[in-house]
């Protein structure tokens, strides 16, 4: 896949809430993500984390695409994309319900990555095409 056209600074901007449209916040807890020893006994430390997507305006949102954009400092790396079919198989349907939430659990070996930009694109129940973004920071420290 190509590099994202978006910068690290763009992912760090806050999305604006608009009346009559879905509004999604995307978070991970904790942030930054600390590494843990591989639970499967491998010799690499890994980052495991959960992305929470919560709708706040009472309007459901159909996610057509979710992209994860790794950065090493300000340098973008290859985009990881998840599409509607994969989200639907994970969630039952590719929808973040009105005033509801969805989760995406993911992880990777510790590597030369400092941040991950998260972008979801889709259409809300009122037909507005929208996108929402967030940023995850990674720590090379081991979790306590």
């Amino acid at each position: 896949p190509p590099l994202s056209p978006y910068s690290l600074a763009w992912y760090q901007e806050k999305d604006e809430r608009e009346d009559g449209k879905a509004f999604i916040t995307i978070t991970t807890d904790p942030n930054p993500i600390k590494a843990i020893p591989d639970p499967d006994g491998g010799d690499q430390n890994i980052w495991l984390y959960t992305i929470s997507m919560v709708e706040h305006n009472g309007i459901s949102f159909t996610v057509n695409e979710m992209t994860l954009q790794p950065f090493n400092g300000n340098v973008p790396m290859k985009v990881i994309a998840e599409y509607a079919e994969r989200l639907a198989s994970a969630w039952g349907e590719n929808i973040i319900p009105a005033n509801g939430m969805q989760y995406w659990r993911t992880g990777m070996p510790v590597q030369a990555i400092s941040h991950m930009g998260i972008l979801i694109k889709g259409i809300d129940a009122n037909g507005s095409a929208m996108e929402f973004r967030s940023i995850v920071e990674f720590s090379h420290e081991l979790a306590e």
Side-chain angles (χ1 to χ4, degrees):
L3 294 178
S4 163
Y6 306 114
S7 67
L8 180 61
W10 182 85
Y11 282 103
Q12 292 171 319
E13 292 174 16
K14 294 289 180 215
D15 291 313
E16 296 295 320
R17 193 170 183 155
E18 295 180 62
D19 289 341
K21 294 184 178 182
F23 183 71
I24 310 293
T25 55
I26 304 169
T27 58
T28 60
D29 188 36
N31 196 0
I33 307 299
K34 290 187 176 182
I36 62 167
D38 184 345
D40 295 329
D43 60 1
Q44 270 192 303
N45 292 329
I46 60 173
W47 289 307
L48 290 177
Y49 60 104
T50 300
I51 299 165
S52 300
M53 294 160 268
V54 180
E55 199 289 318
H56 299 275
N57 266 1
I59 300 165
S60 66
F61 183 74
T62 300
V63 182
N64 295 323
E65 179 181 339
M66 177 172 71
T67 57
L68 304 177
Q69 170 66 70
F71 288 87
N72 184 6
N74 284 318
V75 179
M77 299 161 76
K78 192 169 73 174
V79 171
I80 304 155
E82 303 293 353
Y83 295 98
E85 301 75 26
R86 172 109 187 240
L87 297 170
S89 84
W91 297 342
E93 57 186 351
N94 57 314
I95 294 173
I96 300 169
N99 297 313
M101 66 175 49
Q102 292 287 9
Y103 298 100
W104 189 258
R105 288 183 177 84
T106 189
M108 63 189 157
V110 171
Q111 54 196 287
I113 291 175
S114 60
H115 298 82
M116 182 77 74
I118 302 166
L119 174 63
I120 59 172
K121 295 181 178 184
I123 298 175
D124 77 4
N126 294 333
S128 299
M130 306 180 74
E131 55 185 41
F132 299 96
R133 64 198 152 177
S134 187
I135 197 88
V136 180
E137 291 180 58
F138 294 100
S139 168
H140 288 258
E141 294 175 54
L142 279 178
E144 299 283 317

